Amino acid sequence: MKNTKTLSPICLFTYNRVSVTKKTITALKNNFLSSKSELFIFSDGWKKNNENDEDKVEEVRDYLNTIKGFQKITIFNSDKNKGLSKSIIEGVTKVVNVYDKVIVLEDDLLTSPNFLNYMNETLDYYSNNNKIFSISGYTLNLDALSNLSKDVYLGVRASSWGWGTWKNRWENVDWEVKDYNSFKKSFISRYNFNKGGSDMCGMLKNQMNGKIDSWAIRFCYDQFKKNQYTVFPKISKLISIGFGKNATHTKSINRFKTVLDTSNKVKFLFEDNMNLDRKVTAQFKNKFSIVNRIKDRLGWL
């Protein structure tokens, strides 16, 4: 592995929403480490026979060519529509294979100024800890977090919002989920997988049946299968602005509202031998309960 003290490259994945992309880039440029960080932008292609989609993608690409404020910017424009899953799997693989670690963002996330500090420090600190599968810059708003003495905690469910990992974790992910047939027949395995939320098994089933196309649920399953964890911040280093009718994958919002870190803190307290906090884990899981998912869709949260 290369020197862990070098700053991690950032991968940003964009599609056809120029307004949120601009907000994402503006916030990222305001990070304390942006001018020292290398940025790789992956622009997915438009869906064929959709002139309006083509115009929107081109508008995003025109904007991407104006971005400054980073040590180096590399843009990859896809000539076809890959979809988010393939874009992320291929793009992260391309970058992490060279740099050994990576920070990943989508085009609808507002980061705090210390997001890159937190991500780089956490990636460095846990790089050789085999219990840790990935790093999240986002956290749910959980009451139990106020009792934590450190700046981080462990979670059993990987996050797809502002996350990071290392080559030696990423390159071994089984994207085909080859053991799914044995997994779905095991009540114990399904019960344990759903400790990250009651929606987990259902999403994996939909993925395997071709009803959804999610890299994230496969990433979560690989983490679960290896009995590894994600490190989350006590205070969120990002918020999502991608909800609503124009969002590709997510429509609801209230369950995921959180408080953005405004402390400007750039040094964080970590712990080597962390264990799952029972209260935090229970509150985390409850955010994904059937009841709360229904309430969120109905606007009752």
Side-chain angles (χ1 to χ4, degrees):
M1 182 171 285
K2 293 183 179 180
N3 182 6
T4 58
K5 297 302 181 183
T6 58
L7 292 182
S8 174
I10 307 160
C11 287
L12 174 67
F13 293 87
T14 71
Y15 183 38
N16 65 359
R17 296 182 294 170
V18 70
S19 61
V20 292
T21 301
K22 287 180 178 180
K23 292 175 182 177
T24 296
I25 288 292
T26 298
L28 191 60
K29 282 173 61 176
N30 286 333
N31 265 251
F32 303 131
L33 294 178
S34 58
S35 64
K36 300 177 181 179
S37 300
E38 190 165 355
L39 176 63
F40 293 87
I41 305 176
F42 295 85
S43 171
D44 199 8
W46 55 85
K47 296 172 183 174
K48 299 304 180 183
N49 302 318
N50 188 331
E51 183 176 340
N52 187 46
D53 198 41
E54 180 178 353
D55 291 342
K56 289 180 178 180
V57 170
E58 290 293 356
E59 186 179 11
V60 169
R61 291 180 176 180
D62 287 343
Y63 165 69
L64 296 181
N65 288 325
T66 70
I67 296 173
K68 297 179 180 179
F70 298 88
Q71 184 183 65
K72 183 180 179 182
I73 300 171
T74 304
I75 301 173
F76 296 97
N77 293 326
S78 176
D79 59 0
K80 59 183 179 180
N81 182 259
K82 296 180 179 180
L84 185 60
S85 283
K86 188 174 182 180
S87 293
I88 286 184
I89 293 170
E90 291 184 356
V92 171
T93 299
K94 179 189 290 285
V95 173
V96 82
N97 280 348
V98 176
Y99 293 85
D100 288 331
K101 57 183 177 178
V102 66
I103 296 168
V104 185
L105 290 165
E106 293 177 30
D107 60 0
D108 53 8
L109 301 170
L110 297 186
T111 53
S112 61
N114 60 356
F115 166 77
L116 292 177
N117 295 82
Y118 164 80
M119 293 298 293
N120 278 286
E121 287 182 36
T122 314
L123 282 168
D124 290 347
Y125 192 89
Y126 292 104
S127 62
N128 296 315
N129 188 329
N130 293 327
K131 287 176 58 178
I132 308 306
F133 189 73
S134 66
I135 307 298
S136 174
Y138 169 79
T139 185
L140 293 158
N141 189 17
L142 308 174
D143 291 340
L145 294 178
S146 62
N147 297 321
L148 300 183
S149 60
K150 305 297 183 181
D151 290 317
V152 293
Y153 68 96
L154 287 184
V156 298
R157 177 179 184 143
S159 173
S160 61
W161 289 355
W163 56 279
T165 193
W166 306 266
K167 178 183 177 182
N168 60 8
R169 277 73 148 182
W170 182 260
E171 67 183 353
N172 293 314
V173 175
D174 174 19
W175 298 110
E176 296 178 16
V177 195
K178 298 182 182 70
D179 64 343
Y180 180 69
N181 284 333
S182 60
F183 165 79
K184 72 179 182 180
K185 296 174 184 177
S186 170
F187 172 81
I188 296 298
S189 294
R190 287 184 282 111
Y191 174 83
N192 286 330
F193 188 41
N194 270 357
K195 287 181 179 179
S198 64
D199 57 333
M200 300 286 275
C201 286
M203 281 197 294
L204 186 60
K205 179 181 179 180
N206 286 338
Q207 171 65 36
M208 300 309 293
N209 290 337
K211 293 182 178 179
I212 62 172
D213 183 22
S214 170
W215 70 270
I217 191 61
R218 290 177 280 168
F219 193 62
C220 287
Y221 177 71
D222 205 76
Q223 172 176 304
F224 158 76
K225 185 168 59 175
K226 293 169 180 171
N227 197 30
Q228 295 176 317
Y229 303 98
T230 292
V231 174
F232 288 86
K234 179 179 179 180
I235 305 174
S236 191
K237 306 298 182 282
L238 63 90
I239 57 174
S240 174
I241 56 170
F243 296 102
K245 64 180 181 179
N246 293 322
T248 304
H249 295 101
T250 315
K251 310 300 180 185
S252 60
I253 181 171
N254 290 324
R255 282 181 298 143
F256 303 117
K257 283 183 177 178
T258 193
V259 178
L260 186 66
D261 188 348
T262 58
S263 69
N264 290 336
K265 184 175 182 177
V266 295
K267 295 295 179 183
F268 302 93
L269 295 175
F270 302 116
E271 186 174 355
D272 287 312
N273 300 310
M274 283 192 295
N275 294 306
L276 292 173
D277 183 289
R278 290 178 63 185
K279 289 185 178 180
V280 170
T281 302
Q283 290 180 9
F284 190 109
K285 180 181 179 181
N286 188 52
K287 290 282 188 178
F288 298 92
S289 69
I290 294 174
V291 171
N292 277 331
R293 280 183 278 149
I294 292 173
K295 285 182 176 179
D296 208 2
R297 286 177 191 154
L298 295 174
W300 292 355
L301 289 178

